[in-house]
Amino acid sequence: MNTDKNRVFKPEKLFAPRNFKCPQIKPNQYLEIGTGKGMHAMQFAQENPDKNLIAIERTRVKFDVFAARTAELELNNLLPVHADAIPWVVHGIAPSSLDGIFLLYPNPEPKNASQRWLNMPFFEFLLSRLKPLSPLVLATNIQEYADEAEEQAKQLWGLNVERVNVPQDSARTHFEVKYLARGETCHQLNMVKPKEYRTHFDDWVAPNNTQS
Ligand SMILES: C[S@@+](CC[C@H](N)C(=O)[O-])C[C@H]1O[C@@H](n2cnc3c(N)ncnc32)[C@H](O)[C@@H]1O
């Protein structure tokens, strides 16, 4: 587990992704990172017409499936983005603009603990983009991942955390469906950014960001 608070993230070192277009941040704006083929993103957008979702996927093949399905559904509250979420969030999102974040079944990174979301210095930047009292939801089928993330959320990042088991009949993502069908337990952390939370990035806006 990483408890090295000296490894502060350096957003100014990251170039904007190729062909980057600064998004319009809408009211009730949510973000999903690692959306895969977009099952949760499309369900969320359909079930919550009053909410807006940006859903980012890095892998081209998965993104293409997601983008094609989204186009068929003509959802005007869902923006599919093909990018690495780290530079994209740095350049695309101003501080305190998100009403919620989803990290559903992230890659477990078994050989590279420092690449797990809550172990990365980028996580502090991500928190700076969340509005106070807004949720960040993480789900995983790996108990050790959930244990570590829960510890990090509380001890390193000072978040309020509720931990629950995902109901057996839940079907939000392709990975969730697969794990629950195998009889595995899926763990969910419902984290909340406290009201007076401060990060190093609360005033940091990318030079090409047109939102503020
Ligand atoms: C295990 S899959 C889960 C996909 C989907 N959330 C699900 O549950 O079915 C994790 C996904 O996160 C994507 N991913 C990992 N790191 C990413 C990053 N930095 N930016 C965007 N996507 C990323 C991977 O390409 C992969 O599709």
Side-chain angles (χ1 to χ4, degrees):
M1 188 177 63
N2 167 29
T3 50
D4 183 0
K5 267 211 153 178
N6 297 322
R7 284 174 61 226
V8 172
F9 185 63
K10 295 195 169 61
E12 67 280 3
K13 301 267 185 216
L14 293 188
F15 292 110
R18 204 162 358 133
N19 303 326
F20 177 74
K21 238 182 85 192
C22 194
Q24 184 196 353
I25 297 295
K26 299 184 175 170
N28 282 332
Q29 183 66 68
Y30 289 72
L31 171 73
E32 180 171 346
I33 296 180
T35 195
K37 294 178 185 167
M39 183 171 165
H40 171 262
M42 291 181 282
Q43 265 178 29
F44 180 89
Q46 283 178 312
E47 287 168 11
N48 299 281
D50 58 322
K51 295 180 178 154
N52 293 290
L53 179 65
I54 296 169
I56 310 180
E57 174 52 49
R58 184 175 61 185
T59 303
R60 164 59 77 185
V61 180
K62 292 184 187 183
F63 175 78
D64 285 348
V65 174
F66 170 37
R69 288 188 186 152
T70 301
E72 280 168 22
L73 293 174
E74 296 184 7
L75 293 164
N76 62 8
N77 61 339
L78 175 58
L79 176 66
V81 174
H82 177 228
D84 181 333
I86 296 178
W88 195 91
V89 167
V90 163
H91 287 270
I93 304 195
S96 283
S97 28
L98 299 173
D99 292 273
I101 300 174
F102 297 102
L103 295 168
L104 301 178
Y105 304 93
N107 291 337
E109 306 290 354
K111 295 198 179 125
N112 202 350
S114 65
Q115 293 300 303
R116 297 176 198 146
W117 289 111
L118 279 91
N119 296 347
M120 284 196 252
F122 167 73
F123 196 72
E124 182 184 358
F125 189 91
L126 189 59
L127 291 173
S128 75
R129 274 41 205 160
L130 197 56
K131 292 179 185 168
L133 299 179
S134 294
L136 189 156
V137 176
L138 181 143
T140 176
N141 65 321
I142 300 172
Q143 183 170 346
E144 294 75 23
Y145 192 115
D147 292 346
E148 180 187 74
E150 183 178 5
E151 173 92 2
Q152 292 287 76
K154 291 177 178 167
Q155 303 303 332
L156 180 60
W157 303 117
L159 305 178
N160 302 321
V161 186
E162 175 203 36
R163 178 164 174 169
V164 294
N165 287 348
V166 174
Q168 282 299 317
D169 61 353
S170 183
R172 293 174 297 183
T173 80
H174 286 98
F175 278 75
E176 185 167 86
V177 169
K178 179 173 74 176
Y179 299 139
L180 291 175
R182 294 202 302 228
E184 294 180 24
T185 300
C186 292
H187 313 266
Q188 181 162 315
L189 302 180
N190 298 320
M191 300 171 253
V192 175
K193 178 176 173 174
K195 194 166 177 213
E196 305 295 344
Y197 200 82
R198 298 291 303 158
T199 78
H200 290 94
F201 309 107
D202 297 334
D203 301 317
W204 196 92
V205 182
N208 50 358
N209 188 296
T210 52
Q211 287 148 15
S212 47

